[in-house]
Amino acid sequence: MSAPPLPSRVAVVEVGPRDGLQNEAARLGIDERVEFCDALVAAGLPVVEVGAFVSPKWVPQMAGSDEVLRRVKRRSGVRLPVLVPNRVGFEAARAAGAREIAVFTAASETFNRKNTNASIAESFSRFAEFVPEAKKEGLWVRGYVSTCFGCPYEGPVDPARVLEVALRLRESGCDEISIGDTIGVAVPTQVHDVMGRLAQALARAALAVHFHDTRGTALANVLAALEEGIAIVDSSAGGLGGCPYAPGASGNLATEDLLYMLQGMGIETGVDLGAVVRASRALALRLGRGLTSRYLQATPE
C-alpha cells in the first residue's frame, strides 16, 4: 500500500497548560494559568488542553482546573479539553462546563499501574462508568495511549499491543486517539510501523501523535507520522513537560519548533507562531527559567 501524500493542513493540539505545567515544580496561580490559556487560544490553536480533574494530592499543579476552565475565553470552533481519570473527575469537569474531555491509559501494564494505580483492563472499566454518558450528552472524547514505543519499566512495546489498546479506546467511544512516545525513545522507522498499522485499522482523521523530545527525535518522528497521513500533532508551548512516572523523560515537542517546521514545509496550521512565542516567553518569566524550545533559543527577543 502506497503512503498518502503529506497533509496540506495539520491540527496542532496544545498540551502545555496541562501536560506541561503538571510537571513544573513552580505552581502557577489561577490567574496565570488562565492568562496562558487565553494567549494560546488567541494565537489560533484549535485545541488547548486547559487542565486536569485529578486529585490535587497527587498533581497539585492542576488544582483549580475547574476555575481555569470556567474563566478561559472561549472562541468558536476551539476545543478546550480537560483530562479526567474517573467518574469523580468527570462529574467535576461536567459541573465546570467541560464540553471536551480526555481519558488516558497505556500500552504497558507496568507503566499504567505506576501512572494510574490500575491495570489497563481496570482503566477501561473506569471509562465505562462515564464515557457512554459523556457521549450521550454530546461531549467530545479524546483517548491517550502512553508508552506506545517504549516503557521505562518493560522496555520495547509490541505494536500489536498499541493497536489493541487503540481499538478498545475507539470501541469505548473515543472520537480521537493520541499515540504517545512517553519517554522519547521512538525513531521514524518505528513511527512508520506503528502508525501504519493503526491507519489500516482506524480512520487517519481520528489519530494523533504525541512525541517527547528526550533524545532529539521528535520532529523526525512527526515527519514520519505526516508521511503516514496523520494530521493531528500534540505539542507544548516552550517545550514544557515530562512525566513523573517516566524516569528521564524530558519535555514534550515544543509548539514553536513544530510550527516552524510545518510552516517551512508549506503545511497550514492557522496558528500565529509569533503569538505562541510571546505566550511562552511570558510564561518563562513567571516560571523564572528558560524554556527548551530550540526556536525560542534561536530567536532574539
Side-chain angles (χ1 to χ4, degrees):
M1 181 181 295
S2 60
L6 292 181
S8 61
R9 187 179 185 90
V10 164
V12 178
V13 176
E14 174 57 56
V15 300
R18 194 278 301 174
D19 194 26
L21 292 182
Q22 74 176 14
N23 291 288
E24 287 294 318
R27 300 181 197 174
L28 296 186
I30 299 296
D31 290 346
E32 294 168 318
R33 288 164 60 192
V34 171
E35 182 180 336
F36 184 41
C37 292
D38 281 344
L40 294 169
V41 170
L45 286 152
V47 184
V48 178
E49 193 175 55
V50 301
F53 286 75
V54 294
S55 169
K57 175 183 177 181
W58 299 110
V59 191
Q61 298 90 335
M62 290 293 101
S65 287
D66 55 342
E67 189 173 351
V68 173
L69 178 61
R70 290 189 182 100
R71 290 176 52 188
V72 171
K73 295 176 184 175
R74 297 179 180 269
R75 288 195 173 193
S76 177
V78 177
R79 288 180 173 143
L80 302 175
V82 291
L83 198 71
V84 295
N86 50 36
R87 176 86 196 186
V88 173
F90 169 66
E91 294 286 0
R94 180 168 57 180
R99 299 304 302 164
E100 300 92 14
I101 62 171
V103 298
F104 56 98
T105 187
S108 155
E109 283 286 354
T110 306
F111 181 85
N112 203 64
R113 287 187 180 278
K114 295 278 188 180
N115 192 32
T116 68
N117 196 32
S119 67
I120 294 172
E122 288 168 338
S123 291
F124 278 98
S125 294
R126 291 175 180 175
F127 303 158
E129 295 175 0
F130 64 91
V131 170
E133 188 172 338
K135 294 296 297 178
K136 186 176 180 180
E137 295 179 8
L139 273 68
W140 178 84
V141 182
R142 178 178 236 230
Y144 283 103
V145 188
S146 300
T147 59
C148 292
F149 301 91
C151 170
Y153 309 104
E154 298 180 10
V157 173
D158 186 350
R161 184 64 168 157
V162 179
L163 177 59
E164 177 187 343
V165 174
L167 287 171
R168 288 192 68 182
L169 283 171
R170 183 188 65 178
E171 293 163 2
S172 297
C174 289
D175 299 288
E176 185 173 290
I177 300 165
S178 178
I179 303 302
D181 182 20
T182 310
I183 57 173
V185 295
V187 295
T189 48
Q190 287 178 287
V191 176
H192 279 294
D193 182 18
V194 172
M195 301 312 299
R197 295 185 192 211
L198 289 167
Q200 290 181 15
L202 296 160
R204 285 185 174 89
L207 291 170
V209 287
H210 184 121
F211 295 118
H212 283 221
D213 205 27
T214 312
R215 292 165 179 81
T217 57
L219 283 175
N221 290 335
V222 168
L223 179 57
L226 296 177
E227 290 171 344
E228 292 296 335
I230 307 304
I232 307 170
V233 181
D234 298 0
S235 63
S236 179
L240 289 166
C243 181
Y245 301 98
S250 59
N252 289 291
L253 168 63
T255 302
E256 297 87 350
D257 300 354
L258 173 64
L259 291 172
Y260 175 77
M261 184 183 84
L262 294 175
Q263 291 178 10
M265 295 172 66
I267 296 174
E268 296 181 6
T269 63
V271 183
D272 182 339
L273 173 55
V276 176
V277 166
R278 290 190 290 274
S280 292
R281 286 193 167 137
L283 182 71
L285 289 174
R286 295 188 183 281
L287 295 174
R289 68 172 183 86
L291 301 179
T292 60
S293 164
R294 290 170 174 81
Y295 185 87
L296 282 180
Q297 295 171 11
T299 306
E301 295 190 33

